[in-house]
Amino acid sequence: MLQIFAKESENKMSFKMKLKIATDILMTAALLFLMSYELVGRSAHEWIGVAMFLLFVLHHILNRKWTAHLCKGKYSPFRILQTILAALIFVCMMGSMASGILLSEYVFSFVKVKGVANLARSVHMLCAYWGFVLMSLHLGLHWNMFLRMLDKNIKLPADRKKYIFRVLAAAIALYGGYAFLKRNIGSYLFLKMHFVFFDFTEPLVFFILDYMAVMGLFIVVGYYLGMVLKNHNKNSSDRHKTRRSN
């Protein structure tokens, strides 16, 4: 997700680039509403799930060059992590779609397979929550592209912008950690609980904001992990060049 902001030509974006941005924004919004499940209603949840899958397919079509180059070039630590995350997200997406079809009461209600509901429900929960975490980490790996774009549109001194970005990241990550515990997300990730608890008296917006904060937490983790790996690769490359010159 969000491998979209690179190679802008003098602030002018091609139609394909705009389509990539729109696709990734819609995927992110769909992901958040999918996590709210019962709060948006089961029928809406299924239709959003179908839309998410179609957007996922479109995302891969738009980024097919990246897929075509998987077996080419060297694999740095950053590229290895990026590829592993992409593969795991693909598994989660396929698992979510397959289990969702088996559990469907509306969109795919014509699919009837007896004796698989409990297994499908567990698979669906695992794929949904791990997919949420992995997609957020994936966003974080490419977040510097978004920050560069944001940086161009905020007319403040560079040092002040850097300070603001870091304070916001820290605040979001801290609240995201609180929301992660508050929403028992760890229990769902490891199937310590087999059903997600929803407070139907809670406004949907509060649920979405909490999950946005959790997403923000993992975006921050992914961003700084990516920075560490890129710096490691750069330092290794510099040492290699120094040896060669000597």
Side-chain angles (χ1 to χ4, degrees):
M1 239 187 267
L2 277 187
Q3 297 174 11
I4 54 177
F5 299 117
K7 296 185 180 178
E8 290 181 36
S9 175
E10 296 180 357
N11 295 325
K12 292 182 180 179
M13 290 184 288
S14 65
F15 172 77
K16 183 178 179 180
M17 188 63 68
K18 291 178 181 178
L19 184 58
K20 284 185 177 183
I21 294 172
T23 300
D24 290 337
I25 289 173
L26 288 172
M27 284 180 69
T28 304
L31 179 62
L32 288 166
F33 279 102
L34 281 172
M35 302 311 293
S36 62
Y37 185 39
E38 295 278 11
L39 297 180
V40 298
R42 295 188 180 187
S43 177
H45 176 82
E46 290 188 20
W47 284 111
I48 295 170
V50 172
M52 177 70 168
F53 182 76
L54 294 175
L55 288 166
F56 181 76
V57 172
L58 177 60
H59 172 84
H60 278 273
I61 291 172
L62 293 170
N63 291 283
R64 59 189 179 277
K65 287 184 179 179
W66 182 84
T67 306
H69 287 82
L70 279 174
C71 297
K72 299 177 182 179
K74 294 182 180 180
Y75 270 78
S76 65
F78 178 85
R79 190 182 179 193
I80 290 171
L81 177 60
Q82 180 187 22
T83 305
I84 289 172
L85 281 178
L88 291 174
I89 289 168
F90 181 82
V91 170
C92 287
M93 184 61 70
M94 295 301 106
S96 291
M97 195 64 193
S99 57
I101 289 172
L102 293 173
L103 294 168
S104 177
E105 299 174 357
Y106 299 95
V107 182
F108 300 101
S109 58
F110 55 88
V111 178
K112 301 293 183 183
V113 181
K114 293 182 179 180
V116 298
N118 288 334
L119 176 61
R121 193 171 290 111
S122 295
V123 170
H124 200 68
M125 179 180 284
L126 279 174
C127 289
Y129 277 87
W130 278 107
F132 177 77
V133 170
L134 293 168
M135 288 181 196
S136 301
L137 289 171
H138 181 69
L139 275 168
L141 288 184
H142 304 282
W143 203 247
N144 61 322
M145 300 177 189
F146 170 76
L147 290 177
R148 283 200 299 268
M149 192 174 182
L150 193 63
D151 184 59
K152 292 178 181 178
N153 293 284
I154 297 179
K155 307 302 181 184
L156 288 172
D159 290 343
R160 187 178 298 180
K161 281 190 284 190
K162 186 179 291 185
Y163 175 78
I164 291 171
F165 289 160
R166 287 179 177 175
V167 169
L168 283 174
I172 291 169
L174 284 171
Y175 185 78
Y178 165 75
F180 181 91
L181 297 174
K182 171 187 172 185
R183 299 289 176 176
N184 292 315
I185 292 175
S187 298
Y188 306 140
L189 285 168
F190 297 100
L191 282 185
K192 291 182 178 179
M193 295 176 66
H194 292 268
F195 294 92
V196 180
F197 172 76
F198 291 100
D199 180 0
F200 293 99
T201 65
E202 177 186 35
L204 176 62
V205 64
F206 292 159
F207 183 94
I208 294 293
L209 286 173
D210 272 3
Y211 270 74
M212 285 178 67
V214 176
M215 179 181 280
L217 166 65
F218 286 104
I219 286 173
V220 170
V221 171
Y223 173 76
Y224 282 105
L225 180 58
M227 293 288 286
V228 168
L229 292 177
K230 284 179 178 178
N231 288 334
H232 172 77
N233 186 55
K234 183 180 178 182
N235 292 336
S236 297
S237 179
D238 290 343
R239 286 195 296 269
H240 182 68
K241 288 179 181 178
T242 302
R243 291 194 196 100
R244 289 184 64 182
S245 62
N246 292 335

